[in-house]
């Protein structure tokens, strides 16, 4: 699986879109559509014609370019059944437990309520890759726009249950926003220092901080420390 990370809405919302390609079949898919130009530019430069657009949730900064990209590539838009009334241009729906194929790649759908009520995660267990949208960022999480704290708690529990080697790809570059908070809640100085060092190096080179392993995130992200709903509510 080849993964391209594309910064969109740079300097304002700092969204990430991703383009994944199944190297065995050449089939590719865009994950979230915050801005048309940078995505099309990448596809042009790399001779890609994506077959699918996979949405994590309905928010405009993830779906604004759905219709543009559909028009340009005649691609199929796949989103959560829970969001079918509010994802622009949606063609096919998926839900918890489904497996969606991108060529030979298999995405497992995890329902992830909290940030919104229809949010899903796109998880590729074989490749050990997880696209988290606005559920999990580097060192922080997405705010509660629609769901409850208890839904968020259940979602984070699901994320924590995934293997430590899984690399996660968030919907925004918010590492610096989360850094101070993480430092204040640090329980493992040396791992946090290693995380900051890696983040600084990547940002200095104008690279995205992601991907980070879930194992490192579980140690450094305060929201993943909460073992009860009450603990999560204290920090959220
Ligand atoms: Fe969002
Ligand atoms: Zn967002």
């Amino acid at each position: 699986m080849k993964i391209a990370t594309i910064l969109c809405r740079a300097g304002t919302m700092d969204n990430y879109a991703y383009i994944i390609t199944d190297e065995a079949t050449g089939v590719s898919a865009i994950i979230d559509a915050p801005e048309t130009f940078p995505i099309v530019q990448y596809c042009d430069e790399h001779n890609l014609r994506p077959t699918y657009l996979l949405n994590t949730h309905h928010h405009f900064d993830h779906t604004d370019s759905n219709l543009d990209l559909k028009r340009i590539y005649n691609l199929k838009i796949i989103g959560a059944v829970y969001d079918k009334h509010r994802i622009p241009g949606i063609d096919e729906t998926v839900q918890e437990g489904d497996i969606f194929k991108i060529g030979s790649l298999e995405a497992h759908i995890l329902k992830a309520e909290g940030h919104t009520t229809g949010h899903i995660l796109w998880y590729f267990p074989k490749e050990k890759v997880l696209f988290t949208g606005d559920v999990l960022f580097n060192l922080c999480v997405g705010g509660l726009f629609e769901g409850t704290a208890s839904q968020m708690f259940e979602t984070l529990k699901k994320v924590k249950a995934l293997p430590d080697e899984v690399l996660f790809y968030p919907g925004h570059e918010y590492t610096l926003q989360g850094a101070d908070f993480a430092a204040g809640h640090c329980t493992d100085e040396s791992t946090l220092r290693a995380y900051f060092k890696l983040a600084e190096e990547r940002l200095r080179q104008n690279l995205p901080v992601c991907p980070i392993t879930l194992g490192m995130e579980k140690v450094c992200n305060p929201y993943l420390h909460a073992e009860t709903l009450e603990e999560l509510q204290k920090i959220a």
Side-chain angles (χ1 to χ4, degrees):
M1 178 196 241
K2 195 175 168 228
I3 303 173
T5 303
I6 296 161
L7 181 65
C8 299
R9 296 176 175 267
T12 56
M13 301 186 78
D14 292 337
N15 280 79
Y16 283 129
Y18 299 97
I19 302 176
I20 59 170
T21 304
D22 172 30
E23 283 154 312
T25 60
V27 177
S28 47
I30 301 166
I31 299 181
D32 279 346
E35 190 182 3
T36 307
F37 179 73
I39 296 173
V40 170
Q41 188 183 38
Y42 183 90
C43 289
D44 279 356
E45 281 167 5
H46 294 82
N47 251 317
L48 289 175
R49 199 180 164 81
T51 307
Y52 303 107
L53 166 54
L54 318 174
N55 281 132
T56 58
H57 66 301
H58 74 96
H59 278 161
F60 73 95
D61 59 316
H62 302 256
T63 58
D64 244 8
S65 293
N66 272 23
L67 297 180
D68 277 359
L69 294 169
K70 189 171 181 165
R71 188 169 39 75
I72 296 166
Y73 297 115
N74 195 25
L75 47 68
K76 266 201 172 146
I77 297 178
I78 321 295
V81 66
Y82 327 107
D83 274 345
K84 68 168 188 278
H85 55 294
R86 53 184 186 174
I87 286 186
I90 191 164
D91 295 295
E92 247 182 77
T93 60
V94 288
Q95 57 186 308
E96 169 81 18
D98 280 356
I99 294 176
F100 186 84
K101 285 192 147 207
I102 299 106
S104 67
L105 302 172
E106 292 187 341
H108 291 225
I109 308 301
L110 306 177
K111 190 175 187 186
E113 296 169 309
H115 178 70
T116 65
T117 51
H119 203 299
I120 52 172
L121 310 179
W122 292 84
Y123 177 43
F124 296 81
K126 267 192 216 127
E127 291 72 23
K128 297 206 180 339
V129 164
L130 175 71
F131 295 93
T132 56
D134 285 0
V135 161
L136 180 69
F137 303 129
N138 296 102
L139 304 178
C140 56
V141 294
L144 287 174
F145 278 77
E146 296 170 3
T148 63
S150 126
Q151 286 172 329
M152 182 194 260
F153 180 67
E154 291 308 316
T155 293
L156 295 180
K157 241 173 38 186
K158 232 187 237 185
V159 170
K160 279 196 283 189
L162 299 176
D164 283 353
E165 319 84 79
V166 169
L167 292 169
F168 86 97
Y169 293 80
H172 292 263
E173 181 54 72
Y174 286 163
T175 315
L176 292 178
Q177 283 91 321
D180 280 349
F181 186 65
H185 284 76
C186 166
T187 50
D188 179 338
E189 282 280 349
S190 71
T191 310
L192 191 70
R193 221 174 305 127
Y195 196 125
F196 283 174
K197 190 166 172 252
L198 192 104
E200 268 168 33
E201 271 168 21
R202 288 183 182 167
L203 290 172
R204 198 175 320 119
Q205 296 175 68
N206 246 327
L207 295 172
V209 170
C210 63
I212 293 273
T213 63
L214 277 185
M216 208 169 187
E217 199 62 31
K218 287 176 201 176
V219 172
C220 297
N221 188 324
Y223 294 91
L224 297 179
H225 296 170
E227 283 183 16
T228 63
L229 174 58
E230 291 66 37
E231 277 175 42
L232 179 66
Q233 278 170 319
K234 245 182 249 162
I235 61 167

